[in-house]
Amino acid sequence: MPVKWLMHWQPNQGVTLTTQILTEACQCVESQLGGAKDGRWKTALTYYRPALREASASGDLPRELLGVALHDQLGSYYFLLRAHRLILQADSSMQALMDKLQSYKPRVVLNFEGFQYRLGDFQVRVGKCVPSSEVLRGIMMEVEYLPLSSIEKSRQILEDFFDIWQDTVKKRSLPGHFILVEPNFADYGLQDHYTPQHTAVQYATCMTQLMAAVRN
Amino acid sequence: MECVVQGIIESQNNSHYMRHNNGVRLQHVEALQILLQGLCGVPKERVRVHELCLKSGPNLGVVPSEVRLLCDLAQPTPSWTVRHVGGAMRGAGAEQISVLVRTIVESKVGHNVLRFFYSLGYKLDHELLKEGFVFRFQRGAQITVTVTSANKMPKLYATDEAVPVTPGIQLVEITAPAAAENYSEVVAAVSSFCEYLAPLLHLSKPGVSMGIVPTAAAAAASLMSNSGAKTL
Protein backbone atom coordinates (compact mmCIF):
# COMPACT_ATOMS: atom_id res chain seq x y z
CA MET A 1 0.00 0.00 0.00
CA PRO A 2 1.12 3.60 -0.49
CA VAL A 3 3.37 5.19 2.10
CA LYS A 4 1.60 7.41 4.59
CA TRP A 5 2.91 9.91 7.10
CA LEU A 6 1.02 11.18 10.10
CA MET A 7 1.62 14.62 11.59
CA HIS A 8 -0.04 16.33 14.50
CA TRP A 9 -0.66 19.90 15.55
CA GLN A 10 1.53 21.20 18.36
CA PRO A 11 -0.10 24.33 19.82
CA ASN A 12 2.13 27.08 21.17
CA GLN A 13 2.72 27.14 24.93
CA GLY A 14 -0.39 28.26 26.79
CA VAL A 15 -2.63 28.33 23.71
CA THR A 16 -5.92 26.48 23.99
CA LEU A 17 -6.70 24.13 21.15
CA THR A 18 -9.82 25.00 19.15
CA THR A 19 -11.54 23.62 16.07
CA GLN A 20 -10.54 26.87 14.35
CA ILE A 21 -7.15 25.24 13.62
CA LEU A 22 -8.93 22.41 11.85
CA THR A 23 -10.93 24.86 9.74
CA GLU A 24 -7.77 26.80 8.86
CA ALA A 25 -5.84 23.65 7.97
CA CYS A 26 -8.68 22.48 5.71
CA GLN A 27 -8.74 25.90 4.04
CA CYS A 28 -4.96 25.68 3.48
CA VAL A 29 -5.34 22.33 1.72
CA GLU A 30 -8.26 23.55 -0.37
CA SER A 31 -7.29 27.08 -1.37
CA GLN A 32 -3.48 27.22 -1.11
CA LEU A 33 -2.63 23.70 -2.28
CA GLY A 34 -5.66 23.23 -4.53
CA GLY A 35 -6.89 20.04 -2.88
CA ALA A 36 -10.21 18.61 -4.07
CA LYS A 37 -12.47 17.42 -1.26
CA ASP A 38 -12.93 13.69 -1.57
CA GLY A 39 -15.21 12.61 1.27
CA ARG A 40 -14.90 11.99 5.01
CA TRP A 41 -12.86 9.48 6.99
CA LYS A 42 -12.71 8.08 10.51
CA THR A 43 -10.17 5.97 12.36
CA ALA A 44 -10.90 4.73 15.87
CA LEU A 45 -8.34 3.95 18.54
CA THR A 46 -9.49 2.01 21.59
CA TYR A 47 -7.69 1.77 24.92
CA TYR A 48 -8.09 -1.62 26.55
CA ARG A 49 -7.04 -2.28 30.12
CA PRO A 50 -6.64 -5.64 31.81
CA ALA A 51 -9.57 -6.73 33.95
CA LEU A 52 -8.00 -8.04 37.12
CA ARG A 53 -9.53 -10.24 39.77
CA GLU A 54 -7.26 -8.59 42.33
CA ALA A 55 -6.58 -5.05 41.28
CA SER A 56 -3.48 -4.76 43.48
CA ALA A 57 -1.69 -7.71 41.88
CA SER A 58 -1.25 -6.74 38.25
CA GLY A 59 2.07 -8.63 38.11
CA ASP A 60 3.78 -8.27 34.76
CA LEU A 61 0.58 -7.86 32.77
CA PRO A 62 0.61 -5.05 30.23
CA ARG A 63 -1.13 -1.95 31.57
CA GLU A 64 -2.62 -1.10 28.21
CA LEU A 65 -3.57 -2.67 24.95
CA LEU A 66 -4.41 -0.47 21.97
CA GLY A 67 -6.89 -1.44 19.29
CA VAL A 68 -6.91 0.42 15.98
CA ALA A 69 -9.67 0.34 13.33
CA LEU A 70 -8.28 2.12 10.26
CA HIS A 71 -10.63 3.93 7.89
CA ASP A 72 -9.10 2.31 4.81
CA GLN A 73 -8.92 -1.26 6.20
CA LEU A 74 -12.50 -1.88 7.21
CA GLY A 75 -12.31 -5.67 7.50
CA SER A 76 -9.18 -5.57 9.66
CA TYR A 77 -8.24 -4.64 13.20
CA TYR A 78 -4.85 -4.01 14.75
CA PHE A 79 -3.75 -4.60 18.33
CA LEU A 80 -0.66 -2.95 19.75
CA LEU A 81 1.26 -3.77 22.88
CA ARG A 82 3.65 -0.88 23.00
CA ALA A 83 5.59 -2.15 25.99
CA HIS A 84 6.30 -5.36 24.04
CA ARG A 85 6.80 -3.61 20.69
CA LEU A 86 4.21 -5.94 19.25
CA ILE A 87 1.54 -5.37 16.63
CA LEU A 88 -1.00 -8.01 15.68
CA GLN A 89 -3.08 -7.91 12.54
CA ALA A 90 -6.52 -9.48 12.85
CA ASP A 91 -9.99 -9.48 11.28
CA SER A 92 -12.45 -6.94 12.63
CA SER A 93 -14.23 -9.86 14.36
CA MET A 94 -11.29 -9.89 16.81
CA GLN A 95 -13.03 -7.10 18.73
CA ALA A 96 -16.00 -9.38 19.36
CA LEU A 97 -13.59 -12.12 20.40
CA MET A 98 -11.92 -9.84 22.96
CA ASP A 99 -15.39 -8.97 24.29
CA LYS A 100 -16.04 -12.67 24.83
CA LEU A 101 -12.76 -13.21 26.65
CA GLN A 102 -13.44 -10.39 29.12
CA SER A 103 -9.77 -10.26 30.05
CA TYR A 104 -9.10 -6.81 28.53
CA LYS A 105 -11.87 -4.25 28.53
CA PRO A 106 -12.22 -1.20 26.32
CA ARG A 107 -11.96 1.93 28.49
CA VAL A 108 -11.62 4.91 26.17
CA VAL A 109 -12.28 5.32 22.46
CA LEU A 110 -10.55 8.11 20.55
CA ASN A 111 -11.99 8.93 17.15
CA PHE A 112 -9.83 10.57 14.50
CA GLU A 113 -12.15 12.04 11.88
CA GLY A 114 -12.34 14.71 9.23
CA PHE A 115 -12.17 15.37 5.50
CA GLN A 116 -10.00 13.90 2.83
CA TYR A 117 -8.56 15.64 -0.20
CA ARG A 118 -6.89 14.60 -3.42
CA LEU A 119 -3.87 16.62 -4.62
CA GLY A 120 -2.38 14.93 -7.66
CA ASP A 121 -0.41 11.93 -6.39
CA PHE A 122 -1.13 12.81 -2.77
CA GLN A 123 -4.10 11.94 -0.62
CA VAL A 124 -4.35 14.28 2.37
CA ARG A 125 -6.62 13.80 5.35
CA VAL A 126 -7.10 16.47 7.95
CA GLY A 127 -8.92 15.55 11.12
CA LYS A 128 -9.59 16.09 14.77
CA CYS A 129 -9.09 13.68 17.61
CA VAL A 130 -12.17 13.44 19.83
CA PRO A 131 -12.89 10.98 22.60
CA SER A 132 -16.46 9.87 23.19
CA SER A 133 -16.91 12.92 25.43
CA GLU A 134 -16.53 15.06 22.26
CA VAL A 135 -13.89 17.27 23.87
CA LEU A 136 -11.30 18.21 21.26
CA ARG A 137 -8.00 16.46 22.05
CA GLY A 138 -5.99 17.27 18.96
CA ILE A 139 -5.66 18.02 15.27
CA MET A 140 -3.76 15.74 12.94
CA MET A 141 -3.10 14.93 9.30
CA GLU A 142 -2.44 11.92 7.14
CA VAL A 143 -0.40 12.46 4.01
CA GLU A 144 -0.28 9.57 1.58
CA TYR A 145 1.93 9.42 -1.48
CA LEU A 146 0.04 7.10 -3.79
CA PRO A 147 2.71 5.94 -6.30
CA LEU A 148 5.19 4.44 -3.79
CA SER A 149 5.19 1.71 -1.14
CA SER A 150 8.82 2.02 -0.06
CA ILE A 151 9.37 4.27 2.95
CA GLU A 152 12.94 5.07 1.98
CA LYS A 153 12.17 5.79 -1.68
CA SER A 154 9.31 8.12 -0.81
CA ARG A 155 11.11 9.89 2.04
CA GLN A 156 12.45 12.80 -0.03
CA ILE A 157 9.19 13.58 -1.76
CA LEU A 158 7.23 13.45 1.50
CA GLU A 159 9.81 15.68 3.20
CA ASP A 160 9.42 18.15 0.35
CA PHE A 161 5.65 18.03 0.74
CA PHE A 162 6.02 18.59 4.48
CA ASP A 163 8.24 21.67 3.89
CA ILE A 164 5.72 23.15 1.46
CA TRP A 165 2.93 22.44 3.93
CA GLN A 166 4.83 24.10 6.78
CA ASP A 167 5.40 27.23 4.67
CA THR A 168 1.72 27.32 3.72
CA VAL A 169 0.58 27.06 7.32
CA LYS A 170 3.16 29.61 8.51
CA LYS A 171 1.62 32.28 6.23
CA ARG A 172 -1.58 32.06 8.25
CA SER A 173 0.22 32.89 11.52
CA LEU A 174 -1.53 30.15 13.44
CA PRO A 175 -0.60 29.64 17.14
CA GLY A 176 1.40 26.47 16.67
CA HIS A 177 2.78 24.15 14.02
CA PHE A 178 2.51 20.65 12.61
CA ILE A 179 5.05 18.06 13.75
CA LEU A 180 6.05 14.83 12.12
CA VAL A 181 7.16 12.06 14.45
CA GLU A 182 8.35 8.97 12.68
CA PRO A 183 8.15 5.90 14.89
CA ASN A 184 10.89 3.32 14.75
CA PHE A 185 9.02 0.76 12.66
CA ALA A 186 11.88 -1.73 12.93
CA ASP A 187 11.15 -2.03 16.66
CA TYR A 188 7.87 -3.66 15.69
CA GLY A 189 9.54 -5.87 13.11
CA LEU A 190 8.10 -3.80 10.26
CA GLN A 191 10.08 -3.45 7.04
CA ASP A 192 10.57 -0.74 4.45
CA HIS A 193 7.55 -1.93 2.43
CA TYR A 194 4.63 0.04 3.84
CA THR A 195 1.67 -1.89 5.32
CA PRO A 196 -1.45 -1.01 7.37
CA GLN A 197 0.51 -2.08 10.46
CA HIS A 198 2.81 0.91 9.86
CA THR A 199 -0.26 3.16 9.93
CA ALA A 200 -1.55 1.59 13.16
CA VAL A 201 1.84 2.16 14.82
CA GLN A 202 1.78 5.78 13.64
CA TYR A 203 -1.68 6.30 15.15
CA ALA A 204 -0.46 4.98 18.48
CA THR A 205 2.51 7.37 18.36
CA CYS A 206 0.33 10.27 17.24
CA MET A 207 -2.11 9.64 20.08
CA THR A 208 0.73 9.73 22.62
CA GLN A 209 1.99 13.01 21.16
CA LEU A 210 -1.48 14.55 21.22
CA MET A 211 -2.02 13.57 24.84
CA ALA A 212 1.38 15.02 25.78
CA ALA A 213 0.61 18.25 23.89
CA VAL A 214 -2.71 18.66 25.73
CA ARG A 215 -1.03 18.09 29.11
CA ASN A 216 1.54 20.77 28.36
CA MET B 1 -23.01 -19.10 16.04
CA GLU B 2 -22.60 -22.63 14.78
CA CYS B 3 -24.42 -25.95 14.87
CA VAL B 4 -22.22 -28.91 15.73
CA VAL B 5 -22.36 -32.68 16.20
CA GLN B 6 -19.53 -35.11 16.81
CA GLY B 7 -18.86 -38.80 16.62
CA ILE B 8 -16.00 -41.27 16.53
CA ILE B 9 -14.98 -43.81 13.95
CA GLU B 10 -12.40 -46.58 13.98
CA SER B 11 -9.34 -46.57 11.82
CA GLN B 12 -6.10 -48.39 11.25
CA ASN B 13 -6.07 -50.51 14.41
CA ASN B 14 -5.76 -54.12 13.22
CA SER B 15 -8.51 -55.47 15.41
CA HIS B 16 -10.87 -53.06 13.75
CA TYR B 17 -10.07 -54.00 10.21
CA MET B 18 -12.56 -56.19 8.53
CA ARG B 19 -12.19 -58.59 5.72
CA HIS B 20 -14.17 -58.23 2.59
CA ASN B 21 -15.40 -61.41 0.95
CA ASN B 22 -12.76 -61.16 -1.72
CA GLY B 23 -10.05 -60.70 0.86
CA VAL B 24 -9.57 -56.92 0.74
CA ARG B 25 -8.88 -55.22 4.06
CA LEU B 26 -11.13 -52.29 4.71
CA GLN B 27 -11.20 -49.33 6.95
CA HIS B 28 -14.22 -47.54 8.26
CA VAL B 29 -12.63 -44.16 7.67
CA GLU B 30 -12.08 -44.97 4.02
CA ALA B 31 -15.69 -46.04 3.72
CA LEU B 32 -16.79 -42.78 5.32
CA GLN B 33 -14.66 -40.91 2.85
CA ILE B 34 -16.28 -42.70 -0.08
CA LEU B 35 -19.72 -42.02 1.33
CA LEU B 36 -18.98 -38.33 1.88
CA GLN B 37 -17.48 -38.01 -1.56
CA GLY B 38 -20.65 -39.46 -3.05
CA LEU B 39 -22.95 -37.30 -0.95
CA CYS B 40 -21.14 -34.01 -1.42
CA GLY B 41 -19.70 -34.29 -4.89
CA VAL B 42 -16.70 -32.19 -3.93
CA PRO B 43 -13.11 -33.31 -3.45
CA LYS B 44 -11.80 -33.63 0.09
CA GLU B 45 -9.23 -31.22 1.45
CA ARG B 46 -6.32 -32.19 3.63
CA VAL B 47 -6.35 -31.10 7.27
CA ARG B 48 -3.20 -30.54 9.27
CA VAL B 49 -3.82 -28.09 12.10
CA HIS B 50 -1.66 -27.28 15.09
CA GLU B 51 -4.09 -26.30 17.82
CA LEU B 52 -2.89 -24.47 20.92
CA CYS B 53 -5.34 -24.02 23.76
CA LEU B 54 -4.50 -21.07 26.01
CA LYS B 55 -6.04 -20.15 29.33
CA SER B 56 -5.99 -16.83 31.14
CA GLY B 57 -3.42 -16.47 33.93
CA PRO B 58 -4.54 -16.64 37.59
CA ASN B 59 -5.41 -12.97 38.04
CA LEU B 60 -6.45 -12.05 34.53
CA GLY B 61 -10.07 -11.45 33.60
CA VAL B 62 -13.26 -11.13 35.59
CA VAL B 63 -13.82 -14.81 34.82
CA PRO B 64 -11.26 -17.34 33.56
CA SER B 65 -11.16 -17.47 29.76
CA GLU B 66 -9.93 -19.83 27.12
CA VAL B 67 -8.88 -19.23 23.54
CA ARG B 68 -7.72 -21.54 20.76
CA LEU B 69 -5.00 -20.66 18.30
CA LEU B 70 -5.13 -22.74 15.13
CA CYS B 71 -2.18 -22.88 12.77
CA ASP B 72 -3.11 -24.32 9.39
CA LEU B 73 -0.11 -26.39 8.32
CA ALA B 74 -1.80 -27.88 5.24
CA GLN B 75 -1.07 -24.72 3.23
CA PRO B 76 2.38 -23.92 1.80
CA THR B 77 2.47 -20.87 4.08
CA PRO B 78 1.06 -21.56 7.55
CA SER B 79 -1.80 -19.26 8.51
CA TRP B 80 -3.25 -18.55 11.94
CA THR B 81 -6.78 -18.28 13.25
CA VAL B 82 -8.00 -17.42 16.76
CA ARG B 83 -11.17 -19.10 17.93
CA HIS B 84 -13.35 -18.58 20.95
CA VAL B 85 -15.94 -21.26 21.60
CA GLY B 86 -18.79 -19.86 23.65
CA GLY B 87 -21.45 -21.49 25.73
CA ALA B 88 -24.09 -23.75 24.24
CA MET B 89 -27.62 -22.56 23.73
CA ARG B 90 -29.73 -23.61 26.70
CA GLY B 91 -33.38 -24.11 27.50
CA ALA B 92 -36.04 -26.71 26.81
CA GLY B 93 -35.91 -26.10 23.04
CA ALA B 94 -32.15 -26.63 22.92
CA GLU B 95 -32.43 -29.89 24.88
CA GLN B 96 -34.94 -31.36 22.46
CA ILE B 97 -32.73 -31.03 19.43
CA SER B 98 -29.90 -33.46 18.72
CA VAL B 99 -27.52 -30.75 17.52
CA LEU B 100 -25.56 -28.37 19.75
CA VAL B 101 -25.94 -24.68 18.94
CA ARG B 102 -23.16 -22.52 20.34
CA THR B 103 -21.58 -19.15 19.84
CA ILE B 104 -18.29 -19.08 18.06
CA VAL B 105 -16.05 -16.15 17.20
CA GLU B 106 -13.11 -16.52 14.87
CA SER B 107 -10.56 -14.19 13.42
CA LYS B 108 -7.70 -14.65 11.01
CA VAL B 109 -4.59 -13.25 12.63
CA GLY B 110 -0.91 -12.59 12.02
CA HIS B 111 1.78 -15.18 12.75
CA ASN B 112 2.79 -13.46 15.99
CA VAL B 113 -0.53 -14.28 17.67
CA LEU B 114 1.02 -16.75 20.13
CA ARG B 115 3.45 -14.12 21.37
CA PHE B 116 0.56 -11.68 21.56
CA PHE B 117 -1.53 -13.89 23.86
CA TYR B 118 1.49 -14.85 25.99
CA SER B 119 2.18 -11.12 26.40
CA LEU B 120 -1.44 -10.53 27.43
CA GLY B 121 -0.99 -13.03 30.26
CA TYR B 122 -2.38 -16.22 28.72
CA LYS B 123 -0.68 -19.57 29.39
CA LEU B 124 -0.48 -22.66 27.23
CA ASP B 125 -2.85 -25.32 28.57
CA HIS B 126 -2.33 -27.99 25.92
CA GLU B 127 -1.53 -28.41 22.25
CA LEU B 128 -2.63 -30.92 19.63
CA LEU B 129 -1.92 -31.70 16.02
CA LYS B 130 -5.10 -32.60 14.15
CA GLU B 131 -4.63 -34.51 10.92
CA GLY B 132 -7.15 -35.84 8.47
CA PHE B 133 -9.48 -34.51 5.82
CA VAL B 134 -12.46 -32.21 5.41
CA PHE B 135 -15.40 -31.90 3.04
CA ARG B 136 -17.11 -28.52 2.65
CA PHE B 137 -20.36 -28.25 0.75
CA GLN B 138 -23.79 -26.68 0.59
CA ARG B 139 -26.73 -28.88 1.57
CA GLY B 140 -29.49 -26.83 3.14
CA ALA B 141 -26.68 -25.07 5.03
CA GLN B 142 -22.95 -24.54 4.55
CA ILE B 143 -21.86 -27.89 6.03
CA THR B 144 -18.30 -28.85 6.97
CA VAL B 145 -17.43 -32.45 7.80
CA THR B 146 -14.01 -32.87 9.41
CA VAL B 147 -12.45 -36.27 10.08
CA THR B 148 -9.26 -36.05 12.09
CA SER B 149 -7.00 -37.91 14.45
CA ALA B 150 -5.69 -35.98 17.43
CA ASN B 151 -1.97 -36.18 18.02
CA LYS B 152 0.09 -35.04 20.99
CA MET B 153 3.59 -33.69 20.92
CA PRO B 154 6.39 -35.20 23.02
CA LYS B 155 8.06 -31.76 23.15
CA LEU B 156 6.63 -28.26 22.98
CA TYR B 157 5.60 -27.29 19.41
CA ALA B 158 7.27 -30.45 17.98
CA THR B 159 4.52 -31.17 15.43
CA ASP B 160 6.81 -33.40 13.35
CA GLU B 161 7.13 -35.83 16.27
CA ALA B 162 3.43 -36.02 17.07
CA VAL B 163 1.90 -39.36 18.07
CA PRO B 164 -1.83 -40.26 18.20
CA VAL B 165 -3.67 -39.61 21.45
CA THR B 166 -6.23 -42.33 20.72
CA PRO B 167 -4.70 -44.76 18.19
CA GLY B 168 -7.29 -46.36 15.95
CA ILE B 169 -9.97 -43.75 16.64
CA GLN B 170 -10.74 -40.62 14.64
CA LEU B 171 -13.05 -37.76 15.47
CA VAL B 172 -15.79 -36.80 13.03
CA GLU B 173 -17.23 -33.34 13.44
CA ILE B 174 -20.02 -31.76 11.46
CA THR B 175 -20.44 -28.02 11.74
CA ALA B 176 -22.49 -25.37 9.99
CA PRO B 177 -22.55 -21.62 10.58
CA ALA B 178 -25.88 -20.30 11.85
CA ALA B 179 -27.51 -17.11 13.06
CA ALA B 180 -30.22 -16.39 15.62
CA GLU B 181 -32.81 -16.06 12.84
CA ASN B 182 -32.06 -19.27 10.97
CA TYR B 183 -30.51 -21.74 13.39
CA SER B 184 -33.54 -24.04 13.40
CA GLU B 185 -33.24 -24.52 9.64
CA VAL B 186 -29.51 -25.15 10.00
CA VAL B 187 -30.17 -27.67 12.79
CA ALA B 188 -32.64 -29.45 10.47
CA ALA B 189 -30.11 -29.49 7.62
CA VAL B 190 -27.37 -30.92 9.86
CA SER B 191 -29.71 -33.51 11.42
CA SER B 192 -30.90 -34.74 8.07
CA PHE B 193 -27.35 -34.99 6.78
CA CYS B 194 -26.36 -37.00 9.86
CA GLU B 195 -28.95 -39.64 8.92
CA TYR B 196 -26.96 -40.49 5.79
CA LEU B 197 -23.95 -41.28 7.95
CA ALA B 198 -25.89 -43.21 10.61
CA PRO B 199 -24.90 -46.69 9.38
CA LEU B 200 -21.24 -45.77 9.91
CA LEU B 201 -21.27 -43.60 13.00
CA HIS B 202 -23.31 -42.09 15.82
CA LEU B 203 -23.31 -38.32 15.78
CA SER B 204 -24.33 -36.45 18.89
CA LYS B 205 -23.75 -33.22 20.78
CA PRO B 206 -20.10 -32.75 21.80
CA GLY B 207 -19.45 -34.26 25.20
CA VAL B 208 -22.28 -36.80 24.84
CA SER B 209 -20.35 -39.63 23.20
CA MET B 210 -22.48 -42.43 21.83
CA GLY B 211 -19.53 -44.70 20.97
CA ILE B 212 -19.11 -46.83 17.90
CA VAL B 213 -21.97 -48.10 15.72
CA PRO B 214 -22.35 -51.91 15.66
CA THR B 215 -23.36 -51.82 12.01
CA ALA B 216 -20.24 -49.90 10.96
CA ALA B 217 -18.32 -52.92 9.72
CA ALA B 218 -21.14 -54.18 7.50
CA ALA B 219 -21.91 -50.69 6.22
CA ALA B 220 -18.26 -50.10 5.44
CA ALA B 221 -18.01 -53.41 3.59
CA SER B 222 -21.06 -52.61 1.54
CA LEU B 223 -19.80 -49.14 0.66
CA MET B 224 -16.39 -50.41 -0.32
CA SER B 225 -17.76 -53.19 -2.55
CA ASN B 226 -20.14 -50.77 -4.27
CA SER B 227 -17.32 -48.37 -4.97
CA GLY B 228 -14.98 -51.03 -6.34
CA ALA B 229 -13.03 -51.63 -3.14
CA LYS B 230 -9.58 -50.22 -2.81
CA THR B 231 -6.69 -52.41 -1.81
CA LEU B 232 -4.69 -51.18 1.15
Side-chain angles (χ1 to χ4, degrees), chain A residues 126-139:
Chain A
V126 188
K128 57 184 177 178
C129 169
V130 278
S132 35
S133 60
E134 293 295 318
V135 179
L136 182 67
R137 299 305 291 265
I139 308 288

PDB file of all heavy atoms in Angstrom, chain A residues 126-139:
ATOM      1  N   VAL A 126      -7.255  15.578   6.812  1.00  0.00           N
ATOM      2  CA  VAL A 126      -7.104  16.474   7.953  1.00  0.00           C
ATOM      3  C   VAL A 126      -8.210  16.106   8.932  1.00  0.00           C
ATOM      4  O   VAL A 126      -9.361  15.931   8.515  1.00  0.00           O
ATOM      5  CB  VAL A 126      -7.259  17.950   7.534  1.00  0.00           C
ATOM      6  CG1 VAL A 126      -6.906  18.865   8.699  1.00  0.00           C
ATOM      7  CG2 VAL A 126      -6.366  18.259   6.341  1.00  0.00           C
ATOM      8  N   GLY A 127      -7.871  15.964  10.195  1.00  0.00           N
ATOM      9  CA  GLY A 127      -8.919  15.549  11.118  1.00  0.00           C
ATOM     10  C   GLY A 127      -8.675  15.984  12.539  1.00  0.00           C
ATOM     11  O   GLY A 127      -7.605  16.490  12.899  1.00  0.00           O
ATOM     12  N   LYS A 128      -9.715  15.786  13.345  1.00  0.00           N
ATOM     13  CA  LYS A 128      -9.591  16.094  14.766  1.00  0.00           C
ATOM     14  C   LYS A 128      -9.630  14.782  15.542  1.00  0.00           C
ATOM     15  O   LYS A 128     -10.167  13.777  15.063  1.00  0.00           O
ATOM     16  CB  LYS A 128     -10.741  17.006  15.204  1.00  0.00           C
ATOM     17  CG  LYS A 128     -12.113  16.421  14.926  1.00  0.00           C
ATOM     18  CD  LYS A 128     -13.208  17.397  15.290  1.00  0.00           C
ATOM     19  CE  LYS A 128     -14.567  16.801  14.920  1.00  0.00           C
ATOM     20  NZ  LYS A 128     -15.693  17.629  15.253  1.00  0.00           N
ATOM     21  N   CYS A 129      -9.064  14.838  16.732  1.00  0.00           N
ATOM     22  CA  CYS A 129      -9.095  13.675  17.608  1.00  0.00           C
ATOM     23  C   CYS A 129     -10.080  13.978  18.732  1.00  0.00           C
ATOM     24  O   CYS A 129      -9.878  14.925  19.500  1.00  0.00           O
ATOM     25  CB  CYS A 129      -7.688  13.415  18.140  1.00  0.00           C
ATOM     26  SG  CYS A 129      -7.655  12.224  19.464  1.00  0.00           S
ATOM     27  N   VAL A 130     -11.152  13.205  18.796  1.00  0.00           N
ATOM     28  CA  VAL A 130     -12.172  13.443  19.831  1.00  0.00           C
ATOM     29  C   VAL A 130     -12.521  12.141  20.539  1.00  0.00           C
ATOM     30  O   VAL A 130     -12.853  11.156  19.899  1.00  0.00           O
ATOM     31  CB  VAL A 130     -13.471  14.049  19.237  1.00  0.00           C
ATOM     32  CG1 VAL A 130     -13.349  15.537  19.052  1.00  0.00           C
ATOM     33  CG2 VAL A 130     -13.860  13.387  17.930  1.00  0.00           C
ATOM     34  N   PRO A 131     -12.418  12.145  21.861  1.00  0.00           N
ATOM     35  CA  PRO A 131     -12.894  10.978  22.600  1.00  0.00           C
ATOM     36  C   PRO A 131     -14.413  10.973  22.614  1.00  0.00           C
ATOM     37  O   PRO A 131     -15.047  11.899  22.110  1.00  0.00           O
ATOM     38  CB  PRO A 131     -12.332  11.186  24.011  1.00  0.00           C
ATOM     39  CG  PRO A 131     -12.002  12.628  24.105  1.00  0.00           C
ATOM     40  CD  PRO A 131     -11.913  13.196  22.730  1.00  0.00           C
ATOM     41  N   SER A 132     -15.000   9.964  23.201  1.00  0.00           N
ATOM     42  CA  SER A 132     -16.463   9.866  23.186  1.00  0.00           C
ATOM     43  C   SER A 132     -17.125  11.068  23.862  1.00  0.00           C
ATOM     44  O   SER A 132     -18.258  11.416  23.566  1.00  0.00           O
ATOM     45  CB  SER A 132     -16.903   8.564  23.844  1.00  0.00           C
ATOM     46  OG  SER A 132     -16.039   8.245  24.898  1.00  0.00           O
ATOM     47  N   SER A 133     -16.359  11.743  24.749  1.00  0.00           N
ATOM     48  CA  SER A 133     -16.913  12.920  25.425  1.00  0.00           C
ATOM     49  C   SER A 133     -17.003  14.135  24.505  1.00  0.00           C
ATOM     50  O   SER A 133     -17.542  15.169  24.891  1.00  0.00           O
ATOM     51  CB  SER A 133     -16.042  13.272  26.627  1.00  0.00           C
ATOM     52  OG  SER A 133     -14.731  13.561  26.188  1.00  0.00           O
ATOM     53  N   GLU A 134     -16.456  13.993  23.265  1.00  0.00           N
ATOM     54  CA  GLU A 134     -16.526  15.061  22.264  1.00  0.00           C
ATOM     55  C   GLU A 134     -15.661  16.281  22.581  1.00  0.00           C
ATOM     56  O   GLU A 134     -15.806  17.312  21.951  1.00  0.00           O
ATOM     57  CB  GLU A 134     -17.983  15.511  22.012  1.00  0.00           C
ATOM     58  CG  GLU A 134     -18.853  14.455  21.349  1.00  0.00           C
ATOM     59  CD  GLU A 134     -18.420  14.093  19.934  1.00  0.00           C
ATOM     60  OE1 GLU A 134     -18.081  14.998  19.169  1.00  0.00           O
ATOM     61  OE2 GLU A 134     -18.400  12.904  19.601  1.00  0.00           O
ATOM     62  N   VAL A 135     -14.805  16.167  23.586  1.00  0.00           N
ATOM     63  CA  VAL A 135     -13.887  17.273  23.868  1.00  0.00           C
ATOM     64  C   VAL A 135     -12.712  17.153  22.894  1.00  0.00           C
ATOM     65  O   VAL A 135     -12.158  16.066  22.728  1.00  0.00           O
ATOM     66  CB  VAL A 135     -13.348  17.184  25.315  1.00  0.00           C
ATOM     67  CG1 VAL A 135     -12.379  18.322  25.598  1.00  0.00           C
ATOM     68  CG2 VAL A 135     -14.493  17.184  26.298  1.00  0.00           C
ATOM     69  N   LEU A 136     -12.372  18.242  22.249  1.00  0.00           N
ATOM     70  CA  LEU A 136     -11.296  18.206  21.265  1.00  0.00           C
ATOM     71  C   LEU A 136      -9.960  17.889  21.929  1.00  0.00           C
ATOM     72  O   LEU A 136      -9.548  18.573  22.857  1.00  0.00           O
ATOM     73  CB  LEU A 136     -11.228  19.561  20.552  1.00  0.00           C
ATOM     74  CG  LEU A 136     -10.193  19.689  19.445  1.00  0.00           C
ATOM     75  CD1 LEU A 136     -10.545  18.799  18.267  1.00  0.00           C
ATOM     76  CD2 LEU A 136     -10.080  21.138  19.002  1.00  0.00           C
ATOM     77  N   ARG A 137      -9.290  16.838  21.462  1.00  0.00           N
ATOM     78  CA  ARG A 137      -8.004  16.460  22.054  1.00  0.00           C
ATOM     79  C   ARG A 137      -6.832  16.716  21.112  1.00  0.00           C
ATOM     80  O   ARG A 137      -5.689  16.657  21.543  1.00  0.00           O
ATOM     81  CB  ARG A 137      -7.997  14.979  22.450  1.00  0.00           C
ATOM     82  CG  ARG A 137      -9.036  14.596  23.471  1.00  0.00           C
ATOM     83  CD  ARG A 137      -8.965  15.427  24.740  1.00  0.00           C
ATOM     84  NE  ARG A 137      -7.798  15.186  25.554  1.00  0.00           N
ATOM     85  CZ  ARG A 137      -7.765  14.341  26.575  1.00  0.00           C
ATOM     86  NH1 ARG A 137      -8.836  13.643  26.880  1.00  0.00           N
ATOM     87  NH2 ARG A 137      -6.674  14.193  27.286  1.00  0.00           N
ATOM     88  N   GLY A 138      -7.113  16.997  19.853  1.00  0.00           N
ATOM     89  CA  GLY A 138      -5.990  17.269  18.965  1.00  0.00           C
ATOM     90  C   GLY A 138      -6.410  17.390  17.519  1.00  0.00           C
ATOM     91  O   GLY A 138      -7.539  17.072  17.150  1.00  0.00           O
ATOM     92  N   ILE A 139      -5.472  17.889  16.718  1.00  0.00           N
ATOM     93  CA  ILE A 139      -5.658  18.019  15.270  1.00  0.00           C
ATOM     94  C   ILE A 139      -4.522  17.249  14.621  1.00  0.00           C
ATOM     95  O   ILE A 139      -3.376  17.330  15.080  1.00  0.00           O
ATOM     96  CB  ILE A 139      -5.535  19.498  14.824  1.00  0.00           C
ATOM     97  CG1 ILE A 139      -6.457  20.409  15.642  1.00  0.00           C
ATOM     98  CG2 ILE A 139      -5.769  19.657  13.326  1.00  0.00           C
ATOM     99  CD1 ILE A 139      -7.917  20.296  15.360  1.00  0.00           C
TER     100      ILE A 139
END
